[in-house]
Amino acid sequence: MIDPALIAAMQAFDDKALATLANPGLLRRAQRDLADGKVVLEASEGGNARLAVDGQAVEIGAAGPAKGRCDCSAAGVCRHLLGAVLLLRESAVEEVEGEIASVADPLEIIAAIPLEEARKFTGRPGWRAALELLETAGEVEPGGTSVAVRFDELDEPVLILRGQGMAEIVSGASKAQKKAYHAAALLAARRHFGLSLESADAEEQAAAPTTSAPDPQFLARVQRALVDCAALGFNLAPLPLEESLFALSVSSRADALPRLASLLRSIAAQMRLRRQRSFSFDAGLMLELMATAHALSRAVAKADPADPHFATLAGQVRREYQPLGDVELVGCGAEIWRTKGGARGVTVHLLDEGSGRFHAISLARGAGQEPLFDPRNAFYQQAVWQAGPLAELAHARIALTGAGVAADGRLSAGQDVRARLVDKAALPSAAHGHADWEAMRAALAGGFALGLAATGQPQMVLLHPTDTARPSFDELAQRLIWPLRDAEGRWLAVMLDHDVRGSTAIENLQMALGRGWRGTVLAKATLAGESVELAPVSLLGDGEPADLTVPPQHWARNKDRDLRSWLLRLRPDPGRNLQFIQPSASSRAIADAWRNLLDRLEAGPQLASLLEGKRAAHAARLGDYGMTRLAELISIAQDGEALLAAGYALLVARQQRLGLSYLA
C-alpha cells in the first residue's frame, strides 16, 4: 500500500506546478506515458515509492520530483519523474482525499511555513534581496493545491505548494534567483492573507556592522562582472551575465556589503529590461549604477573595516530610531503616494523650526496588503499618536513627546508617543524657506552630496515666491510646468506629471490658482542627472491650505473635460510662455561627454570604434574648460575599467554642477 502521506504530498504537484518545474512539452510526454501504461509502481515503503517509467528506474518521496531520482541521463526534472508524480496523484483513496480537503485552505498553506524557516533557507544576503523583491510582487492567486505569486520579472508565477516547505516552492526563476524570489513570494503571500511580517527584517535591524575586511577575491569577481557588463550589458544584455550579477549579490560573501549587493541587483534588473527591449530601460541610470558599483567595490577594498565610515560605504547602517526628545513641530503638508511595486500610503511632512529639519509620519500598506486600505480615508479618519488623524496634524503646530526619528527623518508611531495640538491652523515661520533660488540650490546640493556619499533621497523645501506665472502644459512629456519667481527675479519651473496621481494634483492646483492663490509652496526636490526637479506638494499661506495629491474630504471632482480643456488652454505659446534656459557651456560639455559615453556603450565593442574621434573631441573640450583630470579620464576611456572610471568621474562632475530648471 502506498503511504497516504506520500499520495497527499503528490496532490500538491498539479499540472501547473509540474509544467513550471519542467516545461509543458515534457508534461505532455509524461501524460502520454501514463496513458500508454508505461508508468508502473514497483514498491512503496517508508514514505518513498519506486517506479519503472518507460524502462527507467525512478525513486520519489514526499519532497516531490525536484528531489527525486531517475537513472536517465537528463538533467533536472525529466519526464520519467513527472510520470511518477502523475501515477501517484491518481492513487488517492477517499480517506486521503478527505484529509487533503481538510487542509486545502490557502491561508494554512502559507502559515505552515514559518518565517524563520524561510530566513534560514534563504540566507542573509538572499533575505535582503527578498525584501527588495517584495516591493515588486504582484497578484497573489490562492488555489486548492498551491498559492501563486506573480512577479513582472518572471514569465510564470512562483507556486507555494500545499504540504511542502521552502525547498519545494517551484518557479521558473534561474538557479541564482530562486531562493530570493521564493522568499519574496512567501512574504507577499503572508501579507496578502494578513499574516504577521513583524519579524521579516528583525535580523537586519539587529545585525551589527562587521569588522572583517571584505573578501578580495569576491571584489575582484564583482569588478570583472562589471567590466563584462560595460562591454556587453548595454547592447546584447546576455542572460548569463544578468544571472551572474544576481548570483554575486546573494552570495555569502556579499553579506558584509549589502549596499554593493543592492547595486548589483539593480544593474541585473536594468539588463533584463534591455534584453526585453522595454521602454522602462534607462541607459543613463544603468551607467550610474555600474560606475557607482565599480567605485564602491574599489573603495571598500581600501577602507579600514574598523573605520566608522566603512559601515556607511558597506551599507551596514542599522535601521533604528534615535530619541527625538520633547519637540514642537509644524505641519507643512501631506501627500498621497503609490510605488511601482503597488505599496501606497499618505505622508505628512513636519518641520522642526529649531533645527530646520523636516520629519515625516506615514500611514501605508504594502502591495496586496489590506486591499480595502485607502490612503485618503486613512488621512481623514485614522488617529495617530492619540492626537487625531493626519488631516488634523498636516497643518497644525504640535508638541511631540516620546517619539524616535530614523536617519531619513521618519518618525516612530509607537504607543508611547504622545502629541498635543498647540495650534490647529499653523504656518511655518517665513524664516524657514527660500526666496532666493540660488541659495536653495546650494543647500540642496549639500544635502544630496556627491558620488558614493550621495543617497538619492528626495528633500523637502519651502519656497517663498514673490510672483507666479501662468502654467504651461507640455503635451509630449505630459507635464505641467508652473513658473515661480524669487526675490532676485529668477524664474524657476516646478513640475507636475499628468499621471494617475498627478491628475489630482493638477486639478487641485487649477482650483487654487483660480482663487488667486499667493503664498508658500512645500515642494519635493529630486535628483535627476545633473539637475534638481521640484514638484509642488502643498500650497500654504492664502486661505485654506491645499495638499495637491489629497482630494478634500467632501470633494465633487471636476469633470474630466473641464481639466482637459484647462490643460489644452495651457499649451505652450512662444508669445506668452517662459522657456527653459540652456545650461552653461561647461555643463553642456559634461552632458555631451556623458551622452557620448552612453552611445559607445550601447554601440558595443564592434561599433564603438566609429565614435573614437568624438571621444577625443569631448576630452579636448573638457580640457579647454579647465577640467584637466576629467579630460584625461575621457581620453583613455576605451574599454573595461577605464570606461567605468570615466563614467564615475562624469557622474560626480554632473552632481557638482547641480542645476535648477530655470525659465526666461
Side-chain angles (χ1 to χ4, degrees), residues 177-491:
Q177 297 172 327
K178 279 186 184 296
K179 287 187 176 182
Y181 271 105
H182 293 181
L186 178 68
L187 291 171
R190 290 183 67 90
R191 188 171 62 186
H192 175 82
F193 290 113
L195 297 175
S196 173
L197 293 180
E198 289 182 1
S199 62
D201 61 349
E203 184 174 317
E204 291 302 298
Q205 294 178 0
T210 182
T211 57
S212 59
D215 184 349
Q217 293 183 347
F218 170 74
L219 294 176
R221 288 177 59 196
V222 168
Q223 291 169 16
R224 286 196 298 271
L226 291 170
V227 168
D228 291 342
C229 191
L232 302 172
F234 287 82
N235 49 4
L236 299 178
L239 178 60
L241 181 53
E242 174 197 328
E243 293 180 348
S244 175
L245 289 169
F246 197 96
L248 286 169
S249 77
V250 296
S251 70
S252 60
R253 296 180 180 182
D255 184 24
L257 301 170
R259 182 181 178 189
L260 180 60
S262 181
L263 285 170
L264 295 177
R265 286 191 289 273
S266 297
I267 297 167
Q270 283 294 318
M271 284 187 61
R272 180 175 57 253
L273 294 174
R274 173 65 184 85
R275 190 174 57 259
Q276 295 171 344
R277 301 180 184 276
S278 170
F279 287 112
S280 300
F281 171 67
D282 187 334
L285 173 60
M286 183 167 167
L287 178 54
E288 289 180 6
L289 293 169
M290 287 172 49
T292 303
H294 188 262
L296 182 60
S297 68
R298 295 171 64 88
V300 295
K302 297 177 181 178
D304 181 0
D307 187 336
H309 181 57
F310 178 84
T312 302
L313 281 176
Q316 297 171 342
V317 179
R318 293 188 182 188
R319 300 176 188 174
E320 57 185 16
Y321 291 91
Q322 298 295 335
L324 186 61
D326 297 342
V327 65
E328 274 200 5
L329 304 174
V330 58
C332 295
E335 60 175 330
I336 286 177
W337 48 267
R338 187 180 186 90
T339 67
K340 291 182 179 179
R344 72 276 189 214
V346 57
T347 297
V348 166
H349 300 283
L350 302 139
L351 176 65
D352 179 354
E353 293 183 318
S355 65
R357 183 184 179 188
F358 274 97
H359 301 298
I361 180 69
S362 298
L363 295 173
R365 298 294 185 273
Q369 186 180 18
E370 286 191 40
L372 297 180
F373 175 79
D374 181 352
R376 178 175 176 270
N377 291 339
F379 178 70
Y380 288 109
Q381 299 173 11
Q382 188 169 335
V384 177
W385 295 325
Q386 303 182 33
L390 288 180
E392 294 183 9
L393 306 180
H395 299 284
R397 185 177 298 276
I398 62 173
L400 193 62
T401 303
V405 60
D408 60 358
R410 182 173 47 185
L411 295 169
S412 61
Q415 296 181 351
D416 296 333
V417 184
R418 295 289 183 273
R420 176 174 57 84
L421 293 178
V422 177
D423 184 351
K424 293 185 177 181
L427 291 172
S429 168
H432 297 282
H434 299 277
D436 182 332
W437 304 155
E438 275 300 291
M440 177 184 67
R441 185 196 65 79
L444 289 173
F448 283 123
L450 299 173
L452 296 180
T455 65
Q457 292 294 322
Q459 298 183 63
M460 304 306 298
V461 292
L462 289 169
L463 309 178
H464 301 309
T466 59
D467 197 6
T468 67
R470 173 182 179 269
S472 62
F473 184 66
D474 185 338
E475 289 183 285
L476 181 62
Q478 287 292 292
R479 173 175 282 189
L480 187 77
I481 301 167
W482 184 28
L484 305 178
R485 189 171 68 184
D486 70 357
E488 302 299 321
R490 289 178 287 251
W491 287 98

Side-chain angles (χ1 to χ4, degrees), residues 572-592:
D573 182 344
R576 298 178 61 190
N577 291 98
L578 298 166
Q579 305 296 317
F580 283 100
I581 295 176
Q582 292 298 315
S584 66
S586 59
S587 295
R588 290 200 302 273
I590 295 172
D592 291 344

Side-chain angles (χ1 to χ4, degrees), residues 590-613:
I590 295 172
D592 291 344
W594 175 264
R595 182 66 256 176
N596 175 255
L597 183 56
L598 284 175
D599 290 341
R600 288 157 54 204
L601 290 169
E602 291 183 293
Q606 302 300 321
L607 299 177
S609 59
L610 300 176
L611 301 172
E612 282 300 296

